Amino acid sequence: DYEIRPIGIQFTSGEELEFNLTRNFDGLDKSFDLFGSIIPSGNYWWTTYDIEFNSFSGRRLQASINYNWGSYYYGYQKSIEGGLAFNINKHLNFSADFAHRDIDLLSHSITTNEIGGRIEYAIDPKTTSSFFGQWNNEEQEIILNFRFHWIPVIGSDFYLVVNQTLSTGNSIINSKDIAILSKIVWRFGI
């Protein structure tokens, strides 16, 4: 793909507004299933248009929004994505994002929704933790991720990660998978 930005404005306040045109190519060796629609093998070119706004990332409250539309394989798509981030202080940050996408193909239409959120907490520069959650309507799943990172000495790291997947099908939340991982990196001289 390649992108052309005929209009891009960066304000003195740090906000950015842009209009982009993207030309995409995908050469498929074999067909694939896209949410129930088969995309046959072949060469595909499509063009998308994009209007994007981002507030200054140095602010305590930040926002972004992106509207995208255009052709997609042998159909048409449009999407809107956005996000908010709130830096409470040097230790605690919250963020949330969403994405809504409509795809119209010859065989049928697809609508996807995705909602996510993140909490980050830094006890000090060497000890941080984060919690991330995301839901999407296509998989009908909630994905949860917790990460703890500690640097006991510069060059060494300890990670503890917990991943969990919850099924939200039939309006009932059930645990599907859980994985607990740990990693220790310790550097020493010989």
Side-chain angles (χ1 to χ4, degrees):
D1 61 41
Y2 61 88
E3 182 178 279
I4 298 170
R5 181 171 300 139
I7 299 171
I9 302 168
Q10 184 171 23
F11 299 93
T12 55
S13 61
E15 275 70 33
E16 297 175 343
L17 179 65
E18 55 190 56
F19 172 73
N20 303 308
L21 168 102
T22 306
R23 189 77 171 134
N24 303 279
F25 172 77
D26 196 0
L28 300 176
D29 294 335
K30 58 183 178 178
S31 61
F32 74 95
D33 186 324
L34 179 68
F35 304 113
S37 289
I38 300 299
I39 306 294
S41 61
N43 294 326
Y44 295 89
W45 282 96
W46 68 88
T47 304
T48 56
Y49 307 92
D50 177 86
I51 297 173
E52 186 175 332
F53 172 79
N54 295 297
S55 67
F56 176 51
S57 61
R59 285 208 179 86
R60 193 168 222 182
L61 180 63
Q62 305 147 37
S64 65
I65 191 154
N66 179 314
Y67 182 70
N68 180 295
W69 72 98
S71 53
Y72 186 70
Y73 288 102
Y74 58 84
Y76 182 82
Q77 66 84 31
K78 60 184 175 184
S79 67
I80 186 164
E81 299 175 16
L84 283 174
F86 186 48
N87 299 323
I88 304 291
N89 55 40
K90 65 181 180 179
H91 299 285
L92 185 61
N93 299 310
F94 292 97
S95 62
D97 57 67
F98 74 93
H100 173 85
R101 188 171 190 190
D102 292 315
I103 302 171
D104 290 318
L105 300 172
L106 295 175
S107 54
H108 72 285
S109 297
I110 304 155
T111 298
T112 63
N113 293 298
E114 192 174 279
I115 300 167
R118 180 181 305 271
I119 301 169
E120 298 171 312
Y121 184 72
I123 297 166
D124 57 45
K126 293 183 177 184
T127 312
T128 60
S129 63
S130 66
F131 179 76
F132 172 75
Q134 184 179 67
W135 173 83
N136 74 69
N137 69 313
E138 188 60 35
E139 300 293 326
Q140 291 290 307
E141 290 180 343
I142 298 172
I143 298 168
L144 302 173
N145 169 270
F146 171 77
R147 187 178 87 158
F148 176 79
H149 180 206
W150 175 47
I151 305 170
V153 294
I154 300 301
S156 298
D157 296 280
F158 170 74
Y159 294 94
L160 175 65
V161 178
V162 180
N163 292 317
Q164 184 170 16
T165 305
L166 304 170
S167 172
T168 61
N170 301 323
S171 301
I172 299 171
I173 297 176
N174 293 314
S175 181
K176 257 177 103 173
D177 301 309
I178 189 164
I180 301 171
L181 310 164
S182 183
K183 178 180 175 181
I184 298 172
V185 177
W186 197 269
R187 291 188 172 55
F188 56 90
I190 298 178

